[in-house]
Amino acid sequence: PLPALLGDDETGAPLPALLGGDESHPAFMAEATLKYTGQGAEFLAGKRHILQQVDFEATSSVNAREWSALLAALAGGAVEDLSFRKCSLNEAKAMAIAAELSHFGGSLRRLSLRGNRGLSAAGLAALLKSLQGEGGGASLQLDLRACEIDDAKLDAVGLQLACAMADAAAPLCINLEGNRGISAQGW
């Protein structure tokens, strides 16, 4: 029953005691969302099978090598929603992230890159390529709002975008709101 899971049974024992002291028990580690605040890759690896949403928002100090390690720790887990909102992603960071996203095994449903104004066309193309085959039959939402995407970047990633959409097992929904550099012709 729910009260026992919360540690509010007749004994008043905290949850780890109810589970025999096993803090790795799935009922104890039931959180599905994590706001990243500098936890290491080992911490993330230990929770990858229960984390569904990981928010890296405004984590601009992480370098490309560190992004690789963090995402490698989450690969093969239950993560459906990743947010890199305002993480100051540049080409090197985007390439490192893209290399790891291909190992998520179709679990990803939402990817936010919102507010990353430093994304190059090559970085954006790599990210789009990494999403091919993601979604596992469910729709995939890609948030590219306010990334300073213009006609030149759209032209550069057009083929990759078309491939990502064609390879998707279900609809790929891309939000490009706030990218004022896209002309009417680009739309």
Side-chain angles (χ1 to χ4, degrees):
L2 186 58
L5 285 178
L6 297 174
D8 189 24
D9 66 347
E10 296 84 36
T11 67
L15 187 56
L18 291 172
L19 300 173
D22 182 9
E23 292 190 22
S24 67
H25 190 283
F28 181 72
M29 297 173 50
E31 73 274 6
T33 302
L34 174 73
K35 169 67 176 131
Y36 182 77
T37 56
Q39 299 90 334
E42 300 80 25
F43 173 83
L44 294 177
K47 297 197 178 259
R48 76 171 171 246
H49 294 292
I50 57 160
L51 288 173
Q52 293 177 336
Q53 180 180 23
V54 181
D55 183 358
F56 291 107
E57 183 176 349
T59 308
S60 58
S61 63
V62 175
N63 65 37
R65 187 173 36 97
E66 292 167 329
W67 279 125
S68 289
L70 290 170
L71 291 174
L74 292 170
V79 176
E80 296 179 355
D81 186 338
L82 281 173
S83 177
F84 297 96
R85 185 177 176 189
K86 297 181 180 179
C87 284
S88 300
L89 299 182
N90 57 24
E91 187 170 326
K93 293 177 182 182
M95 296 287 203
I97 290 167
E100 296 304 327
L101 287 181
S102 63
H103 302 292
F104 273 63
S107 68
L108 207 55
R109 304 286 182 267
R110 285 172 297 287
L111 177 65
S112 177
L113 300 167
R114 183 179 183 177
N116 283 287
R117 293 180 164 90
L119 275 176
S120 67
L124 189 54
L127 287 163
L128 288 169
K129 184 175 182 174
S130 74
L131 296 176
Q132 289 175 299
E134 280 297 327
S139 64
L140 179 63
Q141 298 173 13
L142 177 59
D143 186 353
L144 293 171
R145 288 180 282 178
C147 287
E148 292 189 0
I149 296 172
D150 56 18
D151 288 346
K153 283 185 185 176
L154 276 182
D155 286 345
V157 301
L159 178 60
Q160 209 55 59
L161 183 59
C163 288
M165 293 178 83
D167 284 353
L172 174 63
C173 178
I174 302 173
N175 189 338
L176 291 164
E177 180 184 335
N179 289 292
R180 294 183 176 92
I182 302 174
S183 68
Q185 185 179 9
W187 286 108

